[in-house]
Each structure stands twice: as structure tokens, then as C-alpha cells.
Amino acid sequence: MTGVDTRSVARDSLFLLADLKLEESDETHRVRVRNLSDGGMMGEASLQVRRGNRVRVALRNIGEVQGSVAWVQDDRFGVAFDSEIDSQRARRPAEGDDAGSGESFTSYAHRAPRRPDPKTLRKV
């Protein structure tokens, strides 16, 4: 890979488990989602996939998404979704826990919290 990032869609690193099925099989495989964007994801698993394989991925709070394998390198692979999703929904707590509460919040599960304002810190 080169140091030049040619992607046109923003993506965030995270760790999320998802269930993946190859189109020609009903067998479900647990995969680790390392990057997720509205247009695709990077997964990691001990699974034999090939570029062009059609897949169905069940993502938390989103449901089943269809796509195709865009690239494979060792035990990592990229999936290009057939249609865009709201990737931020997958970062929220599982719906059903507080479904319908209407509350929204900022999740720091995938990034460092903001730096504190030096004016508000107590000097020791």
C-alpha cells in the first residue's frame, strides 16, 4: 500500500463484531470490523474470501447490508456496500437497550476525548 489515501469517503477506526454470510452459503461467520464508513468496511477473520465475492453483513443497529469483497490481504478484506448506510448508527449502544428514549450523545468508543480547557484545570 502507498502512503497516499485515495478514498473519497471518510471512515473511522473502531472494533465491532458482525456476522457475515457469503452469498452462496447460509453459514454465518463472525468477523471483526476494523473500519466502517457509509460506503463500506474493512473486516478481519480467518475466512477464505476472494475479491468479487458477494456477501451479506449483519451490523448492529443497521441490520443486514449487501455488498461485494473489494480487496483481500491476509486475514483482512474490504467490502463495498451496494448502498450507503448511516455508519454512525453502528457506534451507538444496541437499539432495544434504550430504544425510543430519543437521547443522543457523543460516543468516544472509537476516538480520544477532547482535551480539557487549560482555564478550567486546577493547579496543584
Side-chain angles (χ1 to χ4, degrees):
M1 296 206 168
T2 66
V4 177
D5 191 355
T6 58
R7 293 176 182 89
S8 60
V9 177
R11 67 195 190 289
D12 288 324
S13 294
L14 76 154
F15 181 80
L16 176 72
L17 293 174
D19 292 324
L20 180 139
K21 291 182 183 179
L22 294 170
E23 190 170 74
E24 62 273 0
S25 171
D26 284 331
E27 187 178 353
T28 301
H29 304 275
R30 181 59 57 114
V31 298
R32 293 174 295 280
V33 179
R34 297 291 186 178
N35 290 320
L36 181 66
S37 71
D38 292 351
M41 64 173 248
M42 179 177 77
E44 182 179 44
S46 299
L47 173 66
Q48 295 295 319
V49 295
R50 291 186 177 173
R51 187 172 185 234
N53 281 146
R54 298 286 304 155
V55 296
R56 291 170 287 162
V57 184
L59 295 167
R60 179 179 70 193
N61 294 338
I62 294 173
E64 196 169 90
V65 181
Q66 295 185 1
S68 60
V69 176
W71 58 269
V72 178
Q73 184 177 15
D74 300 324
D75 62 347
R76 293 185 177 195
F77 55 93
V79 174
F81 298 145
D82 291 346
S83 51
E84 288 194 353
I85 62 168
D86 178 4
S87 59
Q88 292 300 314
R89 287 184 66 194
R91 289 170 175 75
R92 297 180 190 141
E95 291 178 359
D97 294 347
D98 287 325
S101 68
E103 295 181 36
S104 65
F105 64 93
T106 303
S107 170
Y108 294 106
H110 61 286
R111 64 188 126 179
R114 292 186 200 123
R115 302 188 98 203
D117 182 359
K119 297 175 192 170
T120 63
L121 294 177
R122 187 179 72 163
K123 295 182 182 177
V124 180

